[in-house]
């Protein structure tokens, strides 16, 4: 169906593929470029629209019986509550507040006469006397969709707020920190190895000997860059003198180092 509608001017109206031979030919060419099945369906749609409409209705009813009725029973209360909330915002705080609560991609100009939706496509329409219809959806996340056609009432489908939100774009400073964090001092520092005074570069590992302040500084860099998160489980217990952290309790490290103590567990992810 997309091939028969893409040829229509949404903003100015005009003839469609059912009445215009040129538009009909263009729709068939676009369908043929996608494959034989798309072409056959488009030909059937153009030849007998009522029959295709009846088939689509039956298909949607079958979907409702198979799975969507159960989904709707779980989500429609949430959608009704969100629609009421938007109505309250519109009545008590105005149109701008209602639109911004729907999505940060929707803004209202200072004169309150133009609504801008930040999308990849470009188009425009007017509400005329019909108004703007806002429809919440629990299945369309994260997409906010604007539906309009010449002479029709514009509709905006927006995801309800209980669905996950897209994280804000990462700043250039944060990206720089993430790129340089693995190269922080200690990550690739020269580490003396057993043998005839050989030194080579290697990544930090449990067997390498690094000072605790050096490791703490590196972990701080990684955390600031957003590459790791930390949480504490249980109380901290100081390690006995002469012992080193870095492994399970009682484990003797290579090279004859003393066994590892058991401080409070720190989990890095």
């Amino acid at each position: 169906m997309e091939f028969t509608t893409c040829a229509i001017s949404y903003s100015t109206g005009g003839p469609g593929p059912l009445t215009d031979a040129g538009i009909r030919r263009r729709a068939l060419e676009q369908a043929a470029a996608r494959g034989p099945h798309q072409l056959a369906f488009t030909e059937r749609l153009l030849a007998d629209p009522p029959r295709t409409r009846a088939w689509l209705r039956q298909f949607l009813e079958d979907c409702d019986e198979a799975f969507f009725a159960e989904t709707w029973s779980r989500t429609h209360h949430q959608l009704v509550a969100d629609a009421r909330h938007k109505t309250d915002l519109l009545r008590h705080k105005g149109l701008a507040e209602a639109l911004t609560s729907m999505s940060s991609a929707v803004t209202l100009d200072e004169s309150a006469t133009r609504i801008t939706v930040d999308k990849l496509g470009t188009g425009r329409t007017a509400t005329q006397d019909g108004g703007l219809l806002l429809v919440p959806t629990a299945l369309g996340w994260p997409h906010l969709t604007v539906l309009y056609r010449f002479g029709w009432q514009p509709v905006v489908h927006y995801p309800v707020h209980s669905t996950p939100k897209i994280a804000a774009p990462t700043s250039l400073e944060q990206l720089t920190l993430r790129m340089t964090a693995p190269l922080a001092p200690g990550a690739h520092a020269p580490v003396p190895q057993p043998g005839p005074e050989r030194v080579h570069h290697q990544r930090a590992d449990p067997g390498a000997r690094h000072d605790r302040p050096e490791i703490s500084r590196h972990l701080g860099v990684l955390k600031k860059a957003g590459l790791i998160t930390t949480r504490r489980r249980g109380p901290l217990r100081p390690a006995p003198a002469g012992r080193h952290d870095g492994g399970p309790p009682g484990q003797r490290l290579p090279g004859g180092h003393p066994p590892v103590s058991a401080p409070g567990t720190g989990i890095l992810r």
Side-chain angles (χ1 to χ4, degrees):
M1 288 182 286
E2 61 179 301
F3 309 112
T4 60
T5 57
C6 288
I8 301 174
S9 175
Y10 279 86
S11 58
T12 60
L18 295 179
T19 58
D20 188 286
I23 297 178
R24 181 187 184 94
R25 183 172 58 255
R26 179 184 174 191
L28 292 173
E29 290 174 353
Q30 291 177 333
R34 292 286 296 272
H37 295 291
Q38 289 82 352
L39 176 60
F41 180 83
T42 303
E43 291 175 339
R44 186 166 61 250
L45 171 61
L46 294 175
D48 193 354
R51 181 182 177 184
T52 306
R53 190 182 301 115
W55 169 84
L56 179 60
R57 179 184 180 90
Q58 184 61 50
F59 172 74
L60 295 176
E61 290 177 350
D62 292 343
C63 290
D64 179 72
E65 182 179 351
F67 64 89
F68 188 74
E70 190 274 333
T71 302
W72 176 250
S73 67
R74 292 186 289 102
T75 59
H76 82 278
H77 298 291
Q78 175 187 21
L79 301 179
V80 170
D82 190 86
R84 289 175 178 171
H85 174 63
K86 295 295 187 294
T87 302
D88 291 339
L89 286 178
L90 179 63
R91 291 175 178 173
H92 301 293
K93 295 189 177 182
L95 179 59
E97 187 71 20
L99 292 176
T100 54
S101 69
M102 181 175 60
S103 172
S104 58
V106 185
T107 57
L108 182 68
D109 68 353
E110 296 181 356
S111 62
T113 59
R114 183 186 298 272
I115 299 173
T116 302
V117 182
D118 187 5
K119 300 287 288 184
L120 292 177
T122 302
R124 62 179 60 197
T125 186
T127 58
Q128 304 297 341
D129 297 330
L132 176 66
L133 182 61
L134 308 180
V135 180
T137 174
L139 304 176
W141 184 89
H143 304 290
L144 182 139
T145 307
V146 182
L147 306 176
Y148 67 96
R149 186 177 174 182
F150 183 78
W152 291 12
Q153 181 182 15
V155 178
V156 177
H157 284 268
Y158 66 93
V160 293
H161 272 222
S162 60
T163 53
K165 295 184 178 180
I166 299 179
T170 306
S171 65
L172 179 61
E173 178 183 4
Q174 190 75 358
L175 289 175
T176 303
L177 286 174
R178 292 182 179 182
M179 294 176 65
T180 58
L183 301 179
H188 298 272
V191 179
Q193 300 295 313
E197 297 185 356
R198 292 177 301 171
V199 177
H200 68 277
H201 289 73
Q202 69 173 29
R203 292 182 179 271
D205 61 72
R209 301 185 62 179
H210 298 280
D211 294 334
R212 180 176 297 188
E214 180 183 6
I215 296 175
S216 297
R217 284 193 299 269
H218 189 210
L219 291 177
V221 172
L222 295 175
K223 185 176 181 181
K224 185 178 180 180
L227 295 175
I228 63 172
T229 59
T230 62
R231 60 188 173 93
R232 182 178 300 170
R233 179 185 298 171
L236 293 177
R237 298 188 296 273
R243 297 196 171 193
H244 304 273
D245 297 338
Q251 175 182 339
R252 182 169 294 276
L253 299 178
H257 298 300
V260 177
S261 62
T265 304
I267 300 178
L268 302 180
R269 292 189 297 176

